[in-house]
Amino acid sequence: DQQVKQNSPSLSVQEGRISILNCDYTNSMFDYFLWYKKYPAEGPTFLISISSIKDKNEDGRFTVFLNKSAKHLSLHIVPSQPGDSAVYFCAASERSNTGKLIFGQGTTLQVKP
Amino acid sequence: GAGVSQSPSNKVTEKGKDVELRCDPISGHTALYWYRQSLGQGLEFLIYFQGNSAPDKSGLPSDRFSAERTGGSVSTLTIQRTQQEDSAVYLCASSFRQGKGYNEQFFGPGTRLTVL
């Protein structure tokens, strides 16, 4: 039972354009959502997060949108840069004793110069 | 400061052998997590340690998997009688955990395990 899904395994965009990565979830108890970025042979690094009480969070070129009614979140990167090329994981956390993360399968973003 | 470190970075083993994977969390972090990423999959939660509390082992896929955390710091994940389906990247993360909400987790580079 995949509670967090990233249905697009890959995305290719031109440098300077917008990248939009999507994520769907099924568990209505999730109260915190995150995006992690992963380069080959490295661990994931935190990128941006959003609490379930908000619908938007912005940090520089990165914006995360949350649509709770649709159980959908998205990450917008504007403008996209070649250094943004990586695997992006959507993750969710349920308010609990552990804080464990439930991850999507990841989307490989390629930004072409 | 130093981040989360893991060793070895790569491990190749034969089916049926036991392996030990090590994680050194960030100093002072109270919580430690193990995840694994199989080919083409997202990260899958395995086990969670917090201070002196009993670990949450709910994500361990079978009784061949076990983990311990000594002195509230270093953790070892042991896989006994390895199988080919155990091949994956095993990732460790730590956080300074307070309360029941989310606290940022910092990941190590992972150990790539290949079972032949």
Side-chain angles (χ1 to χ4, degrees), chain A residues 32 34 36 38 41-44 46 89 93-101 103-105, chain B residues 33 35 37 40-43 45 48 56 58 91 97 99-102 104-105 107-109:
Chain A
Y32 211 82
L34 308 94
Y36 275 81
K38 185 180 184 303
E42 295 182 11
F46 170 75
F89 290 99
S93 177
E94 181 179 343
R95 187 170 178 83
S96 70
N97 290 325
T98 70
K100 68 184 181 186
L101 295 175
F103 284 85
Q105 308 96 307
Chain B
Y33 304 80
Y35 295 86
Q37 183 185 9
Q41 301 297 313
L43 282 73
F45 167 77
Y48 159 80
D56 176 354
S58 61
L91 291 148
R97 182 156 178 78
K100 292 191 175 185
Y102 172 76
E104 184 176 347
Q105 295 178 25
F107 282 83

Side-chain angles (χ1 to χ4, degrees), chain A residues 71-100:
Chain A
K71 293 190 174 65
H72 177 85
L73 67 156
S74 60
L75 173 68
H76 292 210
I77 306 173
V78 182
S80 301
Q81 299 174 353
D84 296 330
S85 298
V87 179
Y88 289 79
F89 290 99
C90 170
S93 177
E94 181 179 343
R95 187 170 178 83
S96 70
N97 290 325
T98 70
K100 68 184 181 186

Side-chain angles (χ1 to χ4, degrees), chain B residues 32-63:
Chain B
L32 187 147
Y33 304 80
W34 282 97
Y35 295 86
R36 75 173 176 181
Q37 183 185 9
S38 303
L39 189 64
Q41 301 297 313
L43 282 73
E44 172 192 8
F45 167 77
L46 297 177
I47 188 169
Y48 159 80
F49 295 92
Q50 166 69 4
N52 295 321
S53 303
D56 176 354
K57 304 180 182 180
S58 61
L60 294 179
S62 79
D63 59 7

Side-chain angles (χ1 to χ4, degrees), chain A residues 27-46:
Chain A
N27 187 346
S28 58
M29 298 301 292
F30 288 145
D31 69 342
Y32 211 82
F33 302 88
L34 308 94
W35 286 93
Y36 275 81
K37 178 179 179 180
K38 185 180 184 303
Y39 292 115
E42 295 182 11
T45 54
F46 170 75

Side-chain angles (χ1 to χ4, degrees), chain B residues 80-106:
Chain B
Q80 295 179 310
R81 305 181 302 282
T82 52
Q83 304 294 311
Q84 288 182 332
E85 61 263 28
D86 299 335
S87 297
V89 177
Y90 288 81
L91 291 148
C92 175
S94 70
S95 72
F96 183 71
R97 182 156 178 78
Q98 292 178 308
K100 292 191 175 185
Y102 172 76
N103 303 102
E104 184 176 347
Q105 295 178 25
F106 295 82

